[in-house]
Amino acid sequence: MAPYESDRTAGAEGLPDEADDVRAGRRKAARYVVPVAVVGVAAATIGLVPALADSGDPSLPKITAEQLIEKIAKSDVQQLSGTVKVSTDLGLPSLGGLESGMLSGATKGSGGSSADPQSKLMELASGTHTVRVAADGPDKAKVSVLENAAEYSIIHNGNDVWAYDSKSNEVYHSTAPAAEKGQEKAPKDVPTTPKELADEALKSVDDTTSVTVDGTAQVAGRDAYKLLIKPKQSGSTVGAITVAVDAKTGVPLKFTLVPTSGGAAVVDAGFTQVAFAKPAASTFDFTPPKGAKVTEGKDSKDSKAPESAPNRGDLGKGLDGLKTIGKGWSTIAEFDTGGQGMPSGSSSDGGNVSGFLNSLGDHVKGKFGSGTVFSTRLVNALITDDGKVYAGAVTKDALVKAANAAH
């Protein structure tokens, strides 16, 4: 069965006659995104407080799911400004202030900068945040995370990318080539708008997915259609994704992901205010404040990265044997760490530390021997005692079944 269902799109006049244009638009809608095996990880890094409820049910012309996806793909909005409310609920165990400290310091290192986007934006992976965004074409963009009496901003203006952390009074600067026509050059380390999240979800639209138009809504005072994306397969932790799409511009205004386990949304991102007008030119101006510590990034002209700065390529070491199991929403990534799995808990294997780590997971057994499953409400990972890792936006049972089949 095709992924586009018709049960909730009655009354539509069907798809455009230009089949080539439709196919081209579909490819454009999917080109931004990562494989479905990591959609959960990527999408879960940002969300919106559930209190952002739809404020109306406007009457709009009927539209099919495929037509709505094409509307998103063909949206040519280059200028906008607005406020996005952000939160996530992954269901991670509470470790006090340890999580935020680990996230912010994970990539900073000695000699690094607290303003480095690689570390700072990871703080959006938990809690509730208010984010202001502005854009004027592919070479001008600004994202500001508002905190208590502080602000963190990334400003992209031409060849310059500036990041400023007002709390520490630190600045991070790098350069990037001017964007070619049709390309986007704003930092993409972490998705910060409903559109970026929607682009990732649209990659999953295939024959394993049901896509329908689920009525209409008002978001940030704008009339919108609601696109409903649901896995057809069993075993996925993703229950459903809803994208509110601006009826006039085709810009996604709100993104909500709910898990199969129920309860509050894991990811819920949406505009509270939005305007599709040219922002003031001064929005993208930046001069380091007096006394601020300025760190030059490795991409900057005539500069070197701090010796302790992380090499993004290092993240891929040890994953040369990465394989995938299954397809669609039930895809599982499998790789061998080359290690010995989780420590046993004896003094020689880590003692209290390994015991603490084991307490966070569920112990399982199978043809693979034994292992530990570490779970969130969206992404789960099984680490076997022989060092194999199975991970994905799937249930614990699906991971155990995959590990058994692989042995």
Side-chain angles (χ1 to χ4, degrees), residues 118-134:
Q118 290 187 66
S119 59
K120 190 67 178 181
L121 288 182
M122 284 304 295
E123 294 180 13
L124 294 177
S126 63
T128 299
H129 305 272
T130 298
V131 180
R132 288 179 181 163
V133 298

Side-chain angles (χ1 to χ4, degrees), residues 313-336:
D314 290 344
L315 299 178
K317 290 183 178 179
L319 301 183
D320 293 339
L322 179 67
K323 299 188 296 184
T324 57
I325 301 170
K327 61 178 291 190
W329 297 88
S330 298
T331 300
I332 295 172
E334 175 193 358
F335 60 93
D336 192 340

Side-chain angles (χ1 to χ4, degrees), residues 80-235:
L80 67 81
S81 58
T83 303
V84 180
K85 277 291 189 177
V86 205
S87 76
T88 49
D89 185 4
L90 284 171
L92 293 169
S94 176
L95 303 178
L98 183 59
E99 308 102 304
S100 59
M102 291 173 62
L103 288 172
S104 63
T107 60
K108 179 179 176 180
S110 176
S113 170
S114 68
D116 187 340
Q118 290 187 66
S119 59
K120 190 67 178 181
L121 288 182
M122 284 304 295
E123 294 180 13
L124 294 177
S126 63
T128 299
H129 305 272
T130 298
V131 180
R132 288 179 181 163
V133 298
D136 183 8
D139 285 321
K140 291 186 177 182
K142 182 176 182 178
V143 176
S144 298
V145 182
L146 308 183
E147 302 172 338
N148 292 332
E151 179 175 323
Y152 175 78
S153 296
I154 299 177
I155 305 99
H156 176 217
N157 193 344
N159 291 339
D160 290 302
V161 178
W162 296 94
Y164 176 57
D165 184 359
S166 69
K167 183 182 297 183
S168 63
N169 198 28
E170 292 192 24
V171 175
Y172 185 88
H173 174 246
S174 64
T175 59
E180 297 178 8
K181 186 176 181 180
Q183 290 183 331
E184 297 180 1
K185 292 300 297 180
K188 296 296 179 184
D189 292 51
V190 174
T192 52
T193 68
K195 174 173 171 51
E196 291 170 1
L197 292 166
D199 286 341
E200 293 183 4
L202 289 176
K203 179 63 174 181
S204 307
V205 176
D206 56 18
D207 59 2
T208 70
T209 312
S210 168
V211 184
T212 60
V213 177
D214 190 31
T216 61
Q218 269 204 344
V219 179
R222 307 277 304 186
D223 291 347
Y225 293 101
K226 293 194 295 184
L227 186 69
L228 181 64
I229 304 170
K230 298 180 69 174
K232 292 181 180 179
Q233 302 164 300
S234 61

